[in-house]
Amino acid sequence: MTARELDAAGITDAALRSAYTRCRRLNARHGKTYFLATRLLPADRRPAVHALYGFARWADDIVDSHTDELKNSERTTALQQLSTRLQHGLSTGRSTEPVVQALADTAHRYAIDARHFEDFMSAMRDDLTITDYPTYEDLRRYMHGSAAVIGLQMLPVLGTTVPRAEAEPYAADLGVAFQLTNFLRDVGEDLDRGRVYVPADLLNAHGIDRDRLQWSRDTGRRDTRITHALQAFEALTRGVYRQAAPGIALLDPVSRPCIRTAFVLYSGILDAVAADGYSVLHRRAVVPRRRRAAVAVDGLARIVHARISHRSALRPDIRRDTSPEPARAQLTMTSSQPRGAA
């Protein structure tokens, strides 16, 4: 976290600044696509985004630890400990765990509903025991906690030009679209972790099953039926992007370039998967650097235009949100010395 971002957000306490900085590092290391888009947000909102995503990355790391590094029982214990710290942090506004400390501070500043964090932790626990999904509806129920609530957590930070409730369905859909994209890109890696997120009924409709995916992963051989199933999953994902797209126009104008950039970059992963012949069981598709750079430049142009058009977020004709304003006072939260990286 840069000092300018922390200063802009009114974060002055040394321990809290350190906590936010740790979240930024987690987001930068694990979420390159969204981290790039976050740079397009106004400086005062970036720390909150890093806190939300940093916490999500940390929980995801616990769940996705390989079995030779952490036994399932140990993952369950670690996740429960994190859940306990989260509940305490949200209720008291304090935590000795830096990532939770930053998250609790963000939740307080932006009045984020605690249920979104509870639903997220529930989905993380599901990942420890559920390894596949019979239908898309089953997958959607899981993604409410693993993805949709991320969009709902983000919405108060981004701000809206309409009542927040009007924008929430689109924010939830965009979170789901991003995760479906990751599921398609990471089919092979998820299979190595013992999970299949492509619904079984979609696979079965194309004459394949989990065992056939494993065969392709193990042998490196192709099956046109797998390709057709992955194409169908891509089409399903693009449909969710179309549902989410109108929500970008409902955001605070200064936040739109960030989300539009993330939208284009993530949907570009689908293009990369298709261009690579749907070889996700054998290698990860990557958006070319030139494409990422071009999208970033477009995002910069859009944010310059937005800042010229909307010099101040306090203009009477522009509302961040019709919900109560988040607490902007400089909090002087104190805690014990932050622990080392988990």
Side-chain angles (χ1 to χ4, degrees), residues 248-249 255-265 295 298 302:
I248 297 176
S255 295
R256 291 174 197 164
C258 167
I259 301 306
R260 189 182 303 277
T261 297
F263 185 102
V264 174
L265 287 174
V295 173
D298 178 72
R302 289 177 182 275

Side-chain angles (χ1 to χ4, degrees), residues 7 33 53 68 73 117 129 162 183 188 223 233 245 258 301 314 319:
D7 292 343
T33 297
Y53 272 80
D68 59 346
S73 60
F117 302 107
T129 57
V162 297
F183 287 162
D223 185 325
F233 194 64
C258 167
L314 299 179
R319 291 176 295 153

Side-chain angles (χ1 to χ4, degrees), residues 90-102:
L90 291 175
S91 63
T92 65
R94 300 174 182 271
S95 178
T96 57
E97 171 50 58
V99 176
V100 176
Q101 183 182 11

